[in-house]
Amino acid sequence: MNKPPKKKSPASILAALEKREREIGVSRRALREKERTLATLMSNLDGMVYRCRNDEQWTMEFVSDGCFGLTGYRPQELLDNKLISFEELEHPEDRARVRQEIESAIKEKRRFFVEYRIQCRDGEIKWVWERGVGIYGRRGSVVTIEGFIENVTERKLSTQALQQAERSFRSIFENATEGIFQTTPDGRYLNVNPALARIYGHATPAELIGAIGDIQHQVYTDPIRRHEFMRLMREAGNVANFVSEIRRKDGHRIWISENARAVLDEAGNLLFFEGTVEDVTQNKIDQEKLEHLANHDPVTSLPNRLLMNDRLRQMMLNGQRTKSIVAVALVDLDHFKLINDTFGHNRGDQLLQTMAHRMLACVRETDTVVRLGGDEFVLLLSGAGRGEGMSQVVQRVLQAISRPSQIEGRELAVSCSVGVSIFPRDGRDVQTLLRNADTAMYKAKEYGRNNFQFYSPEMNTVIAERLEMQTSLRTAVENEQFELFYQPKIDLVSGRIAGMEALLRVKDKEGGLSLPDRFIQMAEETGLIVRIGEWVMREACRFNRSLLDQGFAPMRVAINLSARQLTRYDLVRVVKQTLKEANLPAECLELELTESMVMTEPENVILILGQLQALGIELSIDDFGTGYSSLSYLKRFPVTSLKIDQSFVRELDQQHSDHQNAAAITKAIISIGHSLDMKVIAEGVETEEQMSFLVKNGCDAMQGYLFSQPLPGAEFISLLQRETKGDGKFALLQQLCATLRDKAAPELVVDASNA
Ligand code: C2E
Ligand code: MG
Ligand code: MG
């Protein structure tokens, strides 16, 4: 049974009520205090706290003061969505996404986070970050949503800027034409760009990074380069234009240039290296080409003088160390100028190339063949002993050079003259060795070319002699210390003197005479030939006039011309003038030209010769067969006779090993001459056998010791007088010609000494 409740006294009830009231007051105060704190907190938040219903419009039930700062709307204006709903502030492009995120979070009962843009009252677009949560009722359905929206525009913009920067750096990295890398000190790749992968022959950066774990041995062809790289990094912290050869994936070697630096952490510890790589293979090739150009001759690709100086110095140093010798052989092609002038520079260059190859084939790999320029080459040979081995090499070169070569389908025989000086015997520096080799080479030329000479100190006197000769030639010109000798030309039909050739002699101090071979070349080199030539023409014309005056039948005097007289000088005017002064008919003068002279500038020469012919003088080609005439030009030259060179005539004798060749050439010249309507004369006829051959083969005239040597003017006159008188020797000669022509040669001897 239940006990009836104990009755409480009104006072105690009052007291209890008062107590209760006090308690409530305390908790209300506490609540108010809490609310105030909350309100302070919320209004200080840089953002807006909200609570809304989970209805269609997300009607706002609470909006904190932060709303104003964030959106420009007052909380009351958003409360109950009075003026505008928060969703309407959301950027139209973001709205659907925001809704979807919040709804799915609420459905899944999780917190939501969403970033999007809002448009503020003043139109400004801000980035906000909203996070919130659904508040669920007892039955588990969502009652409200509470959340916080904060302004993250600044952060967002700076991240965007950062991303933008990152994107553009990435693009530079990805699209650079230079390779970019980060590598570890132990030689692996951390990061490379596509360009580096491409330069190293890999398909992708990843492939490169995966394939190379040891830069030193897998990349550099010379692993020492990596040591050098590391050393520079240690010492300077960077490398600049560090050029090395590397191996690509396919094994190909290329040249790269690296610029890199060491990247350190704050404590100064090395983290990695980073830098760029450029493929400089083409530069390297270009540079090598340039260097090659500077050090080599463009025509033959042989080393030039510059490189020679260098190599010779090296070889001398080496020679000193190993007690061996070095030979400097100066090789000069004989008469190369003639070939160049006749065939043109292209063919001349071709010939130089051929000769260069031949010389290279004669020497060892350690030797050097240099082209000094023009037709001059130098061989640098190293060896032991006193040069015996060298002379074998030089001998081989002489043989190789003189092998016939083809130019424009024609066979050409070139020879060379070689002078050799030896280090250390003949000199201890480049200059001296070259000078002495040059001296020896001149000696070789003097010995008739196509030979070689070792330098000897006495040779220096040769140089001195040349200088002396130059001086004396000049004085000879000043003082007209000249004399003309005349050699008769014999008509092989009539056996009579048909003309004469004037040959120059120089009188020396002692009253002796020197032959033109010794001074004509020098006169040409020095230009003195022009004055000498004028003197010769004057004197020859004067002499011939005097013969006319003495009543001799008119005959021609032939004078020899030099190239310089023909083309670089107003020859036509001088000839005209001289004939006039001497009062000599033009028919009494003949000019002898050589093949090389007329073939040098044929078109120009044809003009000049035409003018000379128009004056009425005769023109002939001397030493025919030694140069390189073009038959088509020959036809166009107004030339009236060819003189077969004495080298062929000399070899016509049976005793001569080459007589068959000489005979064939002589016959050919006679027939060419005749077919071009020219007379053919043989020079240097010394034997009856030669004469007999010439007569039998229809040669028109001859000149030579067989009948007479060149004679001083007075002696020539007495020879003419003897002929006029019908001297026996002349009668014999005439008879001989007649019978030979009938191919029944009697045993007649023409004694030249008596003639
Ligand atoms: P060249 O015009 O061919 O003259 C012929 C040379 O052969 C002459 O030599 C002559 O003495 C020589 N000779 C003649 N008959 C015989 C012989 O039977 N046997 C041999 N072995 N030789 C013979 P030289 O007088 O010493 O003249 C040499 C060259 O010098 C000439 O060759 C000519 O090219 C040149 N020369 C001579 N005088 C002059 C001149 O006044 N002006 C120019 N520019 N050159 C000249
Ligand atoms: Mg002559
Ligand atoms: Mg001649």
Side-chain angles (χ1 to χ4, degrees), residues 22 24-34:
R22 262 197 317 277
I24 288 171
V26 169
S27 68
R28 266 205 197 119
R29 261 202 311 280
L31 200 62
R32 266 202 307 278
E33 192 58 25
K34 252 188 205 157

Side-chain angles (χ1 to χ4, degrees), residues 75 111 289 726:
R111 300 178 66 80
K289 267 194 205 146

Side-chain angles (χ1 to χ4, degrees), residues 458-481:
E458 301 79 60
M459 282 180 185
N460 280 326
T461 53
V462 175
I463 305 262
E465 269 171 27
R466 276 180 67 81
L467 278 175
E468 203 183 291
M469 201 162 115
Q470 260 189 36
T471 328
S472 56
L473 190 60
R474 274 178 213 284
T475 22
V477 171
E478 291 308 319
N479 308 331
E480 296 197 342
Q481 282 165 247

